[in-house]
C-alpha cells in the first residue's frame, strides 16, 4: 500500500485553480514519492513538519517584501527546486532531507528572488492603480494565497512547547 496518499493521484491538477492547502499537500505527496519511497514510515512521519516548513518558507519571504504570487507560480517554483534536487542532488550524501530542501529553496530565492520581486512588484503596482481607478468590492487580502501560506509557516515555525523555567530557590531573596 502506498503510504504517501494515492487519493492525491485522482484529483484534477490543472482544471481549476489550486488552493494553497491542496498545493502543499500535492508537493508533500510528490516529495514522499520521489525521496522517501524506500525509507521507513517513521522517517517520513518525523520529516513532515520540517518539510512543510520548507514548502511554506517562500510565502514568508514574499509576505515580508509585500508581494504575492498566484498559487500556480508558487508551485512551479517549488517543483523546479524539487526536480533540481532529483536531477543534481547526491541523495546518498544527504543526512537530513528537509534541511537540504530548505537550503535549496533559499538558494533559489538568493539567485532568482530579486527578479521575482521586481516582476511581482510591477504587477502589484499596476493592479493597485487599476483598483484605485475603479474601486474594489473585496479587500486584497481575501484574494492573496500567500497570506494563508505565510500564516501556516508562522504556525509551523513556533516552538513545540515553551522553555522550561528554572525552580526558584526559596532561601534566596529577590531584589524586587
Amino acid at each position: 500500500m502506498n503510504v504517501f496518499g494515492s487519493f492525491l493521484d485522482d484529483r484534477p491538477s490543472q482544471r481549476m485553480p489550486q488552493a494553497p492547502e491542496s498545493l502543499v499537500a500535492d508537493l508533500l505527496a510528490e516529495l514522499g514519492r520521489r525521496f522517501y519511497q524506500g525509507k521507513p514510515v517513521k522517517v517520513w512521519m518525523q520529516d513532515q513538519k520540517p518539510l512543510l516548513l520548507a514548502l511554506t518558507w517562500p510565502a514568508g519571504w514574499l509576505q515580508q517584501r509585500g508581494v504575492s504570487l498566484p498559487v500556480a507560480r508558487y508551485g512551479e517554483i517549488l517543483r523546479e527546486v524539487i526536480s533540481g534536487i532529483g536531477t543534481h542532488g547526491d541523495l546518498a550524501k544527504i543526512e537530513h532531507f528537509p534541511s537540504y530542501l530548505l537550503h535549496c529553496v533559499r538558494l533559489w530565492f538568493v539567485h532568482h528572488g530579486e527578479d521575482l520581486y521586481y516582476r511581482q512588484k510591477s504587477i502589484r503596482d499596476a493592479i493597485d492603480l487599476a483598483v484605485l481607478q475603479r474601486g474594489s468590492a473585496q479587500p486584497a487580502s481575501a484574494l492573496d494565497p500567500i497570506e494563508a501560506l505565510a500564516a501556516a509557516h508562522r504556525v509551523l515555525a513556533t516552538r513545540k512547547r515553551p522553555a522550561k523555567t528554572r525552580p526558584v530557590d526559596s532561601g534566596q531573596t529577590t531584589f524586587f
Side-chain angles (χ1 to χ4, degrees):
M1 183 173 152
N2 188 358
V3 177
F4 309 114
S6 62
F7 68 93
L8 294 174
D9 298 335
D10 299 333
R11 287 194 279 171
S13 60
Q14 299 299 326
R15 281 184 253 161
M16 297 177 8
Q18 229 176 356
E21 304 86 25
S22 64
L23 171 70
V24 171
D26 289 347
L27 290 170
L28 197 60
E30 183 177 341
L31 288 171
R33 283 190 299 271
R34 289 184 76 166
F35 302 110
Y36 286 87
Q37 199 59 39
K39 295 184 179 179
V41 175
K42 181 180 179 182
V43 173
W44 167 248
M45 297 303 290
Q46 288 174 342
D47 284 354
Q48 281 188 9
K49 182 178 176 182
L51 287 171
L52 288 171
L53 273 168
L55 293 175
T56 57
W57 182 86
W61 188 92
L62 291 164
Q63 189 179 40
Q64 283 179 345
R65 285 149 182 85
V67 295
S68 184
L69 280 177
V71 175
R73 178 65 180 130
Y74 188 88
E76 287 173 12
I77 290 170
L78 290 173
R79 283 189 176 90
E80 180 181 332
V81 171
I82 292 168
S83 67
I85 291 172
T87 305
H88 303 291
D90 189 2
L91 300 178
K93 291 184 179 179
I94 299 172
E95 292 180 20
H96 188 246
F97 182 77
S99 298
Y100 184 69
L101 175 64
L102 181 60
H103 171 74
C104 292
V105 169
R106 287 180 175 166
L107 277 179
W108 190 97
F109 277 87
V110 165
H111 292 290
H112 305 286
E114 190 173 325
D115 295 335
L116 179 69
Y117 169 74
Y118 286 117
R119 189 175 321 122
Q120 292 306 115
K121 184 178 174 185
S122 65
I123 291 170
R124 180 191 68 192
D125 291 343
I127 290 172
D128 286 345
L129 183 61
V131 166
L132 286 174
Q133 290 174 350
R134 284 191 256 149
S136 175
Q138 284 185 327
S141 62
L143 304 173
D144 189 14
I146 297 301
E147 187 174 320
L149 290 168
H153 181 73
R154 282 191 306 274
V155 168
L156 288 167
T158 57
R159 288 180 50 120
K160 189 174 181 179
R161 56 184 139 166
K164 292 183 181 179
T165 58
R166 295 183 181 188
V168 178
D169 185 10
S170 61
Q172 184 176 4
T173 59
T174 61
F175 291 113
F176 302 106

